[in-house]
Amino acid sequence: MIPPLLRYVEETASTNDDVMRLVMEGAPHGTAVYAGAQRQGRGRQGRAWHSPKDRNLALSVAVVGERFASSLPLLPLAVGVAMAELLEAEFDLPVQLKWPNDLLVDGKKLGGILCEGVQVGVRFVGAVAGVGVNVNLERGELPEDLRDRATSVRIEGGELASLGPLAATARLRIVEEAEALASGGRDALLARWQRRDVTRGREVEVLQSGEVGVAEGIERDGGLRVRMADGRLSVVRSGEVHLRPLPSPNSADKDKNPERS
Ligand code: BTN
């Protein structure tokens, strides 16, 4: 029997690990796993990714083939656009993207993406695109320190959603977007990404260096352009950036008249 391309597991360590193993064993392009719960879900920068059982989408999709090697750095952006458009269409949410691949609603994190390359020896075999989206999570289920920084479809006013159909559509959209990127769709992708770019024109702090500058959009290779205070243009290609708070509306008046409190 041919195994289905999309499989559900009640519990696993990490769906990214599962799909990575399947790809090593020769699973075809588009193979995907979504889980009710992950014991060791991974986020970016070595962080843990938590989510209560059966509340959220935890999905990993295999992008298999040497033709995807050259577009690998842009894959997280392609997956981000695919997911933002899907979540907006399904739940009528204004989803924005924060470089490199956070899904935000009104500045709060709705989901994240972790793409990992798969190699056998030195040969590139493909990649695993892992997506975590807070879907049916209630505010009270979020750890207290995340309540002001994270959100879910449900918290944003959405109806309870079925995770199976969502996983199936997400798998298809991610595969389509990876294909389009590998067949020369880079400029179209970057244009769609920039329409949702929450960092553009905002002051950001580059986490690795601590430098602060104003984000000026995405480079063709997927890096984030940041204009530093001394006028230098820096392109951030790895790690992440933090959005600095917007100035409060009357801070400009205070600058003009510093003695007024
Ligand atoms: C982040 O924002 O740090 C990325 C989070 C990615 C989490 C997803 S959940 C499905 C897949 N399996 C994992 O272990 N991680 C990704």
Side-chain angles (χ1 to χ4, degrees), residues 215-235:
E216 286 190 351
I218 301 292
E219 200 67 9
R220 283 199 88 235
D221 65 3
L224 180 71
R225 288 195 291 263
V226 182
R227 183 72 60 185
M228 298 303 172
D230 60 7
R232 192 169 37 94
L233 184 69
S234 173
V235 180

Side-chain angles (χ1 to χ4, degrees), residues 137-159:
L137 190 81
E138 305 278 358
R139 190 163 187 272
E141 292 172 296
L142 279 167
E144 230 164 276
D145 59 319
L146 289 184
R147 287 190 191 158
D148 294 331
R149 289 187 285 136
T151 191
S152 73
V153 171
R154 183 82 172 142
I155 295 170
E156 294 300 321
E159 298 287 309

Side-chain angles (χ1 to χ4, degrees), residues 70-168:
S70 60
S71 51
L72 187 63
L74 287 164
L75 183 65
L77 277 66
V79 177
V81 169
M83 289 308 298
E85 292 179 355
L86 165 62
L87 294 166
E88 185 162 302
E90 291 280 324
F91 305 112
D92 199 20
L93 288 177
V95 182
Q96 289 191 296
L97 292 162
K98 175 173 159 282
W99 186 89
N101 43 25
D102 280 348
L103 302 163
L104 303 186
V105 173
D106 206 10
K108 295 183 180 179
K109 186 152 171 164
L110 179 72
I113 290 148
L114 178 67
C115 291
E116 299 178 296
V118 188
Q119 287 192 196
V120 173
V122 289
R123 191 169 62 90
F124 173 88
V125 180
V128 176
V131 177
V133 181
N134 298 336
V135 180
N136 293 323
L137 190 81
E138 305 278 358
R139 190 163 187 272
E141 292 172 296
L142 279 167
E144 230 164 276
D145 59 319
L146 289 184
R147 287 190 191 158
D148 294 331
R149 289 187 285 136
T151 191
S152 73
V153 171
R154 183 82 172 142
I155 295 170
E156 294 300 321
E159 298 287 309
L160 278 177
S162 303
L163 298 177
L166 185 62

